[in-house]
């Protein structure tokens, strides 16, 4: 089953689970096996394997196999990594509400784990179109930087962070 065959809702259904959002976020920084994902998230290996396969079938993850062990004995580990091009599929999809509900649930989990809040901002304002486009561009740069520089958990001088951005153009409802 793939998202092309089942329409635009398959990617949304694949992400409509807060655990899957966590898995995709985790695999932004490095390719990992089901065992590593299970250990990092504190879930059963079978559960991690199932969710990884579902996310791969929906097009969010790429499967990357390591080389076989020296001497050709044993199977290569099956690793998965985030496919950054997958986000474009969501932009064409209907039913974004499913994803927003899952993100909101996961955001509540992250807020409960917050050690230090670096920034928080909320605004419902009117802006000149040029200023709004500049803001969108800056946030796109920040998101790209976070994804490009993300790495494996607990290596080097890394800090576990959460970054959530919603930039919404609203209807003029009076």
């Amino acid at each position: 089953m793939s998202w092309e065959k089942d329409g635009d809702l398959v990617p949304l259904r694949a992400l409509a689970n807060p655990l899957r959002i966590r898995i995709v976020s985790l695999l932004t920084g490095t390719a990992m096996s089901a065992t590593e994902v299970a250990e990092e998230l504190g879930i059963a290996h079978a559960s991690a394997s199932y969710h990884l396969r579902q996310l791969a079938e929906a097009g969010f993850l790429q499967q990357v196999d390591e080389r076989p062990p020296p001497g050709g004995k044993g199977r290569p580990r099956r690793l998965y990594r985030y496919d950054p091009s997958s986000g474009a599929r969501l932009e064409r999809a209907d039913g974004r509400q499913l994803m927003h509900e899952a993100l909101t649930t996961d955001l509540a989990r992250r807020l409960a784990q917050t050690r230090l809040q670096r920034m928080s901002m909320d605004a419902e304002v009117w802006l000149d179109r040029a200023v709004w486009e500049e803001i969108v561009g800056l946030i796109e740069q920040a998101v790209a930087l976070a994804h490009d520089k993300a790495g494996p958990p607990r290596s080097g001088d890394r800090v576990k962070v959460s970054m959530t951005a919603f930039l919404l153009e609203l209807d003029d409802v009076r």
Side-chain angles (χ1 to χ4, degrees):
M1 172 189 308
S2 72
W3 69 272
E4 291 98 343
K5 294 177 187 169
D6 286 352
D8 289 338
L9 284 181
V10 170
L12 287 168
R13 287 185 191 128
L15 279 184
N17 177 320
L19 178 60
R20 290 186 184 168
I21 291 173
R22 291 181 68 194
I23 290 171
V24 168
S25 293
L26 180 62
L27 297 177
T28 296
T30 188
M32 297 175 82
S33 69
T35 300
E36 292 166 326
V37 169
E39 288 174 2
E40 182 64 26
L41 299 180
I43 61 175
H45 178 273
S47 179
S49 183
Y50 172 78
H51 290 297
L52 288 166
R53 286 192 313 272
Q54 296 299 308
L55 288 165
E57 287 178 12
F60 288 103
L61 303 179
Q62 299 170 332
Q63 185 178 324
V64 184
D65 290 337
E66 284 188 336
R67 295 181 186 188
K73 295 181 180 179
R75 295 185 313 167
R77 288 188 323 153
R78 179 173 290 166
L79 303 177
Y80 294 88
R81 72 174 171 217
Y82 172 66
D83 177 1
S85 70
S86 64
R89 293 182 195 114
L90 294 176
E91 294 305 313
R92 296 190 305 264
D94 292 330
R96 214 164 281 151
Q97 187 66 30
L98 288 172
M99 188 178 73
H100 289 163
E101 288 172 12
L103 284 170
T104 301
T105 299
D106 194 56
L107 183 58
R109 177 196 59 82
R110 292 184 217 176
L111 287 169
Q113 291 182 353
T114 299
R115 180 178 58 87
L116 172 66
Q117 183 171 322
R118 295 292 300 263
M119 182 183 158
S120 178
M121 192 280 291
D122 181 59
E124 187 171 332
V125 297
W126 291 84
L127 296 171
D128 289 333
R129 172 66 57 187
V131 172
W132 173 241
E133 295 303 330
E134 181 180 359
I135 291 168
V136 170
L138 290 169
I139 298 300
E140 286 174 347
Q141 288 177 27
V143 168
L145 182 62
H147 280 246
D148 291 345
K149 300 298 182 181
R154 296 179 194 83
S155 65
D157 186 28
R158 296 195 186 279
V159 59
K160 183 177 182 181
V161 302
S162 174
M163 180 177 166
T164 303
F166 287 102
L167 302 178
L168 311 169
E169 287 191 34
L170 303 175
D171 289 331
D172 183 8
V173 180
R174 296 177 201 219

